[in-house]
Amino acid sequence: MADYKAPLRDMRFVLNEVFDVASLWAQLPELADTVDAETVEAILEEAGKVTSRTVAPLNRSADEEGCHWKDTVVTTPAGFPQAYQTYAEGGWVGVGGDPTYGGMGMPKAVSAQVEEMVNSSSLAFGLYPMLTAGACLSINAHASEELKQVYLPNMYAGIWAGSMCLTEAHAGTDLGIIRTKAEPQADGSYKVSGTKIFITGGEHDLTENIIHLVLAKLPDAPAGPKGISLFLVPKFMVNVDGSLGERNAVSCGSIEHKMGIQASATCVMNFDGAVGYIVGEANKGLAAMFTMMNYERLGVGIQGLASAERSYQSAVDYARDRLQSRSPTGPKAKDKVADPIIVHPDVRRMLLTMKAFNEGGRAFSTYVAMQLDTAKFSEEPVTRKRAEDLVALLTPVAKAFLTDLGLETTVLGQQVFGGHGYIREWGQEQLVRDVRITQIYEGTNGIQALDLLGRKVIGSGGAFYRLFADEIRHFITTAQPTLAEFTQPLSAALDNLDDLTAWLLDRAKNDPNEIGAASLEYLHVFGYTAYAYMWALMAKAALGKEAQEDFYVSKLGTARFYFARLLPRIHSLTASVKAGSESLFLLEADQF
Ligand SMILES: Cc1cc2nc3c(=O)[nH]c(=O)nc-3n(C[C@H](O)[C@H](O)[C@H](O)COP(=O)(O)OP(=O)(O)OC[C@H]3O[C@@H](n4cnc5c(N)ncnc54)[C@H](O)[C@@H]3O)c2cc1C
């Protein structure tokens, strides 16, 4: 596989030229004090180095070797512990963490770029810091001050890792039916008992302690999602002086053998009366988890983008080198036996689709990250509320659309390699296998689509949708006429999404199946329209600068490709939605 090169030029373009993040941060007092352009530049440069030089070279060997389990002990592939130590020592685990407890305090718009880089370099590696950062978010938002002081500094420093223990064998999507129990003890702690499955980083050799966040039920808990509480369960108990004490009664029963992310330990975790501490209020555990959900879900979307970016980089290099057949318009490399495959229209279609999705995805994930930053740091209640509503609306789109396109894109990258894409040596098949999980975990994409249409669009009576649609409409009506080639198709796509949303708001009143029948295609129509907005914003930032740098020529060419060749997908998706739910129920279960 070609080396990974962090796409810093495009990240700078998105942050500075498309969104002018500095002016957003200037309006958010807490960020105005901690973030400046120089720091951000240094972070991007250094993250680019550590991910491309230290982590990326391990990606293939780690996939070949996988994780090992023996008598409850899990070891990660050769090179992972050292690479993790280097990564942690750079402060990267706590890049978005609260500075009060030793985090770097960077806004999500910046840490999102770091997440993309680490996940491009190795998705399996990136999961360990990601789970830790996610656990820290919940602890910081909901745990007692005492727990925060004991656990957060070592977690941000990467000395201890985190895990999220939600899933049980019989309870994945429907967490309301979990069976893990937590018995209150006289000293205020709890004894946690039960078995969790599929726990990423539940056990490993990267850190000296692992801090599990576990969903469990108190003895008198009401049934369903309103009876779930959240507990912090350390692998090793922590003494009063901060040193590590006895081993807690939690152990790894086995690890899964799976399709991809072989170097990420996916563990069965047994809690046998393990000591735990409640995080947040009793029976409000799901709400406490949801604090980190928006961040994690955006992070999973970014994993889709990250795999797709790595696939694209390899595919472009390959397409420039691989000689097969002649161009339909006559030989281009006359001194060679054949032309490089990049001359062929179908190869160009694949490469441009990949590029358009990746750059659109980078802009969109950064846009959502900026809403998260505004929601967290704005002191203006109206501004904060608007950003919170946009985060609620756009998070399921970011998670599901970026990961669905992540699979499509990595498959295209594999296809560019022909037969060589199917064999392991070139690394393209690994990216396809690795990215597949992003459509499944952290809430399947089907569930994201239900969340978007059912809870966010219809649940808000269309109000959240209007916020986003009005912003796009304002952009269109105030854009310079020179942008018309982009704003006109954007306007038509927005009209289509407006109509479809109104149609669904109406239909959902009468047919309870309508939302579930329409949701995935609706999410995709939404995603393509949101990317059209991103591409119009990027075209605006690039137009007129073509003579300065080829980067802008490439950007505008890709924008034109997106509007001409990819945005029209909304029409077939819209037709599917409007076909309604009837045809889904023509067969009885035993007629399938
Ligand atoms: C490699 C890996 C790592 C993971 N890491 C973690 C982790 O760190 N921590 C953790 O707690 N879990 C983890 N998981 C679990 C993961 O989050 C779940 O697998 C996922 O949420 C789906 O749950 P399930 O597998 O039980 O599928 P199910 O819930 O059984 O769903 C099966 C299918 O039915 C659909 N479905 C279910 N309910 C509905 C509905 N109401 N409407 C429409 N469709 C529905 C789903 O979309 C899906 O297609 C991991 C899983 C894997 C494979």
Side-chain angles (χ1 to χ4, degrees):
M1 182 188 286
D3 290 341
Y4 167 65
K5 295 176 282 301
L8 297 182
R9 178 67 186 92
D10 201 49
M11 289 174 175
R12 289 189 193 106
F13 172 71
V14 168
L15 288 171
N16 304 326
E17 297 174 67
V18 179
F19 292 124
D20 186 15
V21 280
S23 65
L24 168 68
W25 297 338
Q27 294 160 33
L28 306 172
E30 204 171 314
L31 287 182
D33 295 342
T34 47
V35 197
D36 57 64
E38 252 172 60
T39 315
V40 172
E41 187 50 37
I43 285 179
L44 295 182
E45 280 288 331
E46 290 307 311
K49 281 185 203 157
V50 73
T51 53
S52 60
R53 292 180 191 171
T54 307
V55 184
L58 298 173
N59 195 36
R60 202 168 106 71
S61 58
D63 176 61
E64 293 287 346
E65 184 187 341
C67 291
H68 312 272
W69 178 94
K70 188 159 190 275
D71 298 335
T72 76
V73 175
V74 174
T75 39
T76 56
F80 260 41
Q82 296 82 346
Y84 195 82
Q85 201 177 337
T86 306
Y87 192 78
E89 282 169 4
W92 301 112
V93 180
V95 65
D98 184 344
T100 318
Y101 305 96
M104 224 191 269
M106 284 299 117
K108 185 68 183 174
V110 174
S111 63
Q113 316 305 322
V114 178
E115 281 171 36
E116 185 194 318
M117 291 185 241
V118 72
N119 284 303
S120 283
S121 65
S122 165
L123 197 63
F125 182 94
L127 276 161
Y128 296 100
M130 181 172 168
L131 266 294
T132 306
C136 288
L137 272 167
S138 287
I139 295 172
N140 196 22
H142 300 285
S144 66
E145 187 55 37
E146 192 189 344
L147 287 179
K148 288 195 220 179
Q149 287 188 8
V150 172
Y151 291 96
L152 286 179
N154 277 336
M155 293 176 78
Y156 285 144
I159 298 168
W160 298 347
S163 90
M164 313 290 301
C165 306
L166 288 67
T167 306
E168 299 179 10
H170 69 290
T173 301
D174 188 358
L175 292 168
I177 56 175
I178 60 165
R179 295 188 191 128
T180 299
K181 289 269 170 238
E183 296 277 346
Q185 305 298 300
D187 64 357
S189 68
Y190 293 80
K191 288 255 159 112
V192 178
S193 303
T195 296
K196 297 285 180 180
I197 66 161
F198 296 163
I199 305 308
T200 302
E203 180 60 49
H204 55 72
D205 57 354
L206 303 179
T207 56
E208 60 184 41
N209 203 1
I210 302 173
I211 313 307
H212 308 285
L213 285 188
V214 187
L215 287 183
K217 294 200 155 189
L218 294 167
D220 55 353
K226 294 201 169 130
I228 299 177
S229 305
L230 181 63
F231 299 88
L232 183 157
V233 181
K235 172 178 166 184
F236 286 100
M237 303 305 295
V238 181
N239 297 322
V240 186
D241 65 359
S243 62
L244 292 189
E246 282 177 12
R247 178 81 197 237
N248 202 356
V250 48
S251 61
C252 176
S254 61
I255 56 174
E256 304 296 344
H257 302 280
K258 53 197 193 291
M259 176 178 178
I261 54 166
Q262 306 293 355
S264 167
T266 307
C267 305
V268 172
M269 296 302 297
N270 296 316
F271 296 84
D272 299 308
V275 178
Y277 310 99
I278 195 158
V279 174
E281 287 177 49
N283 300 328
K284 301 234 167 109
L286 267 190
M289 276 282 179
F290 273 110
T291 305
M292 45 65 81
M293 243 20 148
N294 287 331
Y295 282 82
E296 291 281 293
R297 288 187 170 164
L298 175 59
V300 173
I302 290 170
Q303 290 184 325
L305 161 65
S307 302
E309 170 64 28
R310 183 115 190 226
S311 177
Y312 172 70
Q313 290 188 10
S314 297
V316 172
D317 282 354
Y318 190 79
R320 287 190 186 122
D321 283 353
R322 175 76 175 165
L323 304 177
Q324 289 296 299
S325 319
R326 289 296 183 189
S327 157
T329 54
K332 295 287 177 289
K334 292 193 176 122
D335 55 331
K336 307 242 167 76
V337 292
D339 283 334
I341 58 171
I342 200 163
V343 303
H344 302 305
D346 188 53
V347 174
R348 293 182 150 252
R349 174 190 63 77
M350 294 191 274
L351 292 174
L352 276 162
T353 302
M354 298 173 81
K355 182 165 155 58
F357 283 159
N358 291 352
E359 293 173 17
R362 186 167 299 117
F364 184 62
S365 55
T366 304
Y367 174 87
V368 178
M370 288 171 67
Q371 306 306 327
L372 274 165
D373 289 333
T374 308
K376 184 169 171 188
F377 295 111
S378 175
E379 293 179 353
E380 290 285 323
V382 177
T383 309
R384 204 170 54 234
K385 172 78 171 69
R386 178 178 184 279
E388 282 166 3
D389 293 349
L390 280 176
V391 165
L393 178 78
L394 300 177
T395 298
V397 183
K399 195 279 178 181
F401 196 58
L402 267 81
T403 58
D404 282 353
L405 296 189
L407 183 72
E408 181 178 341
T409 304
T410 53
V411 168
L412 287 173
Q414 184 181 34
Q415 194 75 11
V416 168
F417 276 70
H420 301 276
Y422 195 71
I423 58 161
R424 291 168 95 107
E425 186 186 340
W426 293 90
Q428 293 297 78
E429 62 85 42
Q430 182 192 344
L431 294 168
V432 175
R433 282 186 289 108
D434 282 358
V435 80
R436 183 68 181 83
I437 185 59
T438 63
Q439 299 176 294
I440 297 171
Y441 61 20
E442 201 59 41
T444 61
N445 285 359
I447 296 300
Q448 303 302 320
L450 278 178
D451 182 42
L452 170 71
L453 183 56
R455 289 185 61 218
K456 309 297 171 52
V457 174
I458 293 176
S460 72
F464 291 5
Y465 171 74
R466 280 261 60 85
L467 284 178
F468 191 52
D470 287 351
E471 178 180 315
I472 302 176
R473 191 71 68 195
H474 176 75
F475 167 77
I476 294 166
T477 51
T478 56
Q480 297 291 326
T482 48
L483 276 177
E485 64 170 307
F486 306 107
T487 52
Q488 277 170 6
L490 172 62
S491 181
L494 188 60
D495 288 344
N496 174 70
L497 187 58
D498 276 351
D499 285 352
L500 190 62
T501 306
W503 187 84
L504 282 166
L505 278 160
D506 185 49
R507 289 277 289 218
K509 287 181 201 148
N510 305 321
D511 179 0
N513 278 324
E514 200 64 55
I515 296 175
S519 51
L520 198 87
E521 279 101 345
Y522 177 81
L523 185 143
H524 278 233
V525 178
F526 195 118
Y528 284 112
T529 308
Y531 274 33
Y533 177 37
M534 296 299 120
W535 271 110
L537 287 169
M538 289 193 278
K540 181 181 171 205
L543 211 59
K545 297 183 188 164
E546 297 90 311
Q548 290 174 26
E549 196 184 339
D550 262 1
F551 175 86
Y552 298 110
V553 178
S554 166
K555 190 61 80 177
L556 287 165
T558 313
R560 290 181 178 116
F561 173 83
Y562 181 81
F563 282 101
R565 296 289 303 245
L566 297 176
L567 185 60
R569 290 184 183 187
I570 57 174
H571 300 303
S572 67
L573 291 162
T574 300
S576 286
V577 171
K578 289 205 169 169
S581 66
E582 293 82 4
S583 61
L584 294 174
F585 292 91
L586 300 177
L587 310 187
E588 297 299 329
D590 59 6
Q591 291 173 328
F592 276 83

